Amino acid sequence: MAEAERIIGTPDTPEDGGERTATPGPAGPDQQPAPDGRRPGRGRRIAVLFAVAAFAYALDLVSKMIVVAKLEHHAPIEVIGDWLEFHAIRNPGAAFGFGGAFTIIFTLIAAAVIAVIFRLARKLYSFPWAVALGLLLGGALGNLTDRVFRSPGVFEGQVVDFIAPKGFAVFNLADSAIVCGGVLIVLLSFRGLDPDGTVHKD
């Protein structure tokens, strides 16, 4: 009878266990470590990370292929009057055209960012962090692909940029993904949410 009351009186725990706080509490069955010591939910978060990264990377790659084929060496296309144009350029520098003399250095930085993201994925239990890191990974891979495979040479390739707002630097979808991922990481940090799902409260 006591066992039946215990089972009936125990509320169901959501499948992911929700956000884990810095203050440990009683662990439900979905939060218990697996026999191999791993907590459930990480596999799904990693799947989200790579799905977002693949989508951002594919979108960037396809857009650059279209730009190179249809827009490069042609007059800019007005999208919103002269406020926004599609104007194909080759950028040897970092995002938004900065640091054109340091192409190899930016290539190494992009590779290092990708390595750090893969390292963080080992302790990833937060859905928002999975999205943020996926955006960073997809954007970094998009521009790194240009660095490796485009002219003038391996690790010195120039990135294809084409989105040209009035009075602003020309950029591409990979740059946009990197910026969105970075902004999301800053917001999550302000909220006190760590990649492992722990929430730090003041």
Side-chain angles (χ1 to χ4, degrees):
M1 184 67 177
E3 180 66 17
E5 290 176 351
R6 185 185 66 81
I7 294 174
I8 295 173
T10 301
D12 291 336
T13 303
E15 177 148 1
D16 251 347
E19 294 178 341
R20 298 167 179 82
T21 62
T23 303
D30 292 330
Q31 295 176 322
Q32 294 287 357
D36 60 2
R38 295 180 300 174
R39 288 184 293 171
R42 183 170 70 98
R44 281 169 290 182
R45 300 299 180 261
I46 293 177
V48 170
L49 188 159
F50 286 114
V52 172
F55 178 77
Y57 177 72
L59 204 60
D60 178 69
L61 187 64
V62 170
S63 67
K64 288 174 179 175
M65 292 173 61
I66 294 173
V67 166
V68 170
K70 302 295 185 180
L71 188 57
E72 202 168 35
H73 309 304
H74 290 78
I77 297 177
E78 292 187 351
V79 180
I80 306 177
D82 62 348
W83 288 97
L84 177 64
E85 297 180 337
F86 286 163
H87 179 201
I89 66 169
R90 297 292 183 110
N91 172 23
F96 308 112
F98 297 113
F102 304 99
T103 304
I104 295 180
I105 293 176
F106 290 126
T107 302
L108 296 175
I109 291 174
V113 168
I114 293 170
V116 169
I117 291 173
F118 275 97
R119 187 176 181 85
L120 283 174
R122 290 167 23 182
K123 60 175 183 177
L124 185 62
Y125 289 90
S126 166
F127 179 83
W129 269 95
V131 174
L133 293 177
L135 289 170
L136 283 180
L137 179 59
L141 285 172
N143 283 339
L144 184 60
T145 299
D146 283 359
R147 303 288 187 199
V148 174
F149 294 106
R150 296 195 187 277
S151 61
V154 177
F155 300 125
E156 296 182 346
Q158 297 179 346
V159 175
V160 175
D161 289 336
F162 63 94
I163 303 173
K166 183 178 181 180
F168 195 70
V170 184
F171 59 97
N172 56 42
L173 295 182
D175 298 331
S176 300
I178 291 171
V179 170
C180 290
V183 170
L184 182 54
I185 286 175
V186 171
L187 293 176
L188 294 174
S189 299
F190 273 118
R191 286 190 56 197
L193 179 62
D194 289 343
D196 64 357
T198 300
V199 178
H200 297 282
K201 297 181 179 179
D202 296 333

